[in-house]
Amino acid sequence: MSKSAVLTKNAPPPLAGILSQAIIANGMVYCSGATGVDPVTRQLVEGDVKARTHQCIKNLKAVLEGARSSIDKVVKVNVYLADMGDFAEMNSVYSQYWGDVKPSRTCVAVKTLPLNTDVEIECIAVL
């Protein structure tokens, strides 16, 4: 098996020496978790969980395009929320993406997320 890292300037940079934005292996793209960080300012976007959910998905979309895939080719999504009380607001944004056939998905609440954000999303797509 061969694998290659994805790196695009259209999404926030990965933590150097720790992880990749995504890995391509065996015809699949495995995206690391994306937070609501603006790739230009490198700061969490202002607003609520809806604003940060949009930015998470924009960041994943950029990474997928950098891998020569697309959001419509996503087959699995994991959503991490700091508070399950944000589920409905996150879902109202999430449902606008992913095309007609939605990917399988897991959504869990966790104690703490990077940068103390309220949402992080990761996905797997086909090339």
Side-chain angles (χ1 to χ4, degrees):
M1 176 193 85
S2 67
K3 64 180 183 177
S4 60
V6 176
L7 181 61
T8 177
K9 293 179 181 180
N10 296 324
L15 297 174
I18 305 295
L19 57 93
S20 299
Q21 288 173 325
I23 293 291
I24 298 172
N26 294 329
M28 304 295 290
V29 181
Y30 300 87
C31 293
S32 292
T35 58
V37 171
D38 181 293
V40 175
T41 67
R42 297 187 182 181
Q43 301 294 316
L44 284 172
V45 295
E46 296 290 325
D48 59 8
V49 70
K50 287 181 171 184
R52 284 181 288 281
T53 299
H54 273 295
Q55 191 62 48
C56 288
I57 297 171
K58 288 177 189 177
N59 291 341
L60 287 171
K61 187 174 183 272
V63 171
L64 290 165
E65 290 170 357
R68 296 186 179 168
S69 185
S70 73
I71 201 161
D72 291 331
K73 294 182 179 182
V74 171
V75 296
K76 174 69 173 138
V77 176
N78 292 327
V79 178
Y80 305 96
L81 294 172
D83 181 347
M84 198 52 84
D86 289 332
F87 181 81
E89 288 186 334
M90 176 280 300
N91 219 35
S92 71
V93 172
Y94 177 95
S95 64
Q96 299 171 32
Y97 294 91
W98 317 107
D100 293 333
V101 179
K102 304 295 186 205
S104 62
R105 185 181 89 178
T106 300
C107 182
V108 297
V110 297
K111 185 175 179 180
T112 308
L113 289 166
L115 305 173
N116 290 315
T117 189
D118 43 13
V119 61
E120 181 175 1
I121 304 174
E122 67 180 20
C123 67
I124 301 170
V126 296
L127 285 176

